[in-house]
Amino acid sequence: MTDHAGEWRCMWEARVKMPCDMDLNQLRGTIEKSKEVLADLAPGSEPAQDHAALIKDYCDANFAKNWHVVVGRHFGVHCIHDAKQFAFFYVGEIAVLVTRTQ
């Protein structure tokens, strides 16, 4: 079995799972918004549905509709997605999954 643990890249102060299938401008904006939204989260506390909703609203407003956002701790993802419409990254200890459907 292949070890995939090393497939992370630091970008804009976030750890991004590679390969990342999102336009770099979209990724940067989404990471910056995620950092802004999660900045008020106390260390060790869990993100709320409102955190994901704010990131989703940003993506819907800036990159077309139908984005799905999951935020939390200790989860991974394996999914089929539309081309150039997927990112999985960490802001500090919080994982953020962003994907778009049509």
Side-chain angles (χ1 to χ4, degrees):
M1 180 178 273
T2 304
D3 178 18
H4 297 289
E7 296 178 7
W8 294 88
R9 185 171 166 195
C10 287
M11 301 172 78
W12 306 290
E13 300 175 16
R15 285 185 313 135
V16 180
K17 181 69 172 168
M18 301 309 275
C20 178
D21 194 14
M22 182 179 275
D23 174 81
L24 286 180
N25 290 328
Q26 288 181 342
L27 178 62
R28 183 178 189 160
T30 303
I31 288 173
E32 294 297 334
K33 183 61 178 183
S34 298
K35 290 183 344 190
E36 175 189 319
V37 166
L38 296 170
D40 67 340
L41 195 61
S45 63
E46 294 297 322
Q49 185 175 356
D50 293 344
H51 293 100
L54 290 169
I55 297 166
K56 177 195 173 6
D57 290 346
Y58 169 83
C59 291
D60 282 346
N62 290 281
F63 316 127
K65 301 282 185 197
N66 299 325
W67 286 91
H68 303 278
V69 177
V70 179
V71 295
R73 297 179 188 273
H74 311 297
F75 75 92
V77 64
H78 178 80
C79 68
I80 297 171
H81 58 86
D82 293 342
K84 297 291 187 188
Q85 309 295 311
F86 176 87
F88 181 63
F89 57 90
Y90 276 84
V91 173
E93 299 176 356
I94 305 299
V96 181
L97 164 68
V98 182
T99 188
R100 181 173 176 255
T101 59
Q102 295 189 8

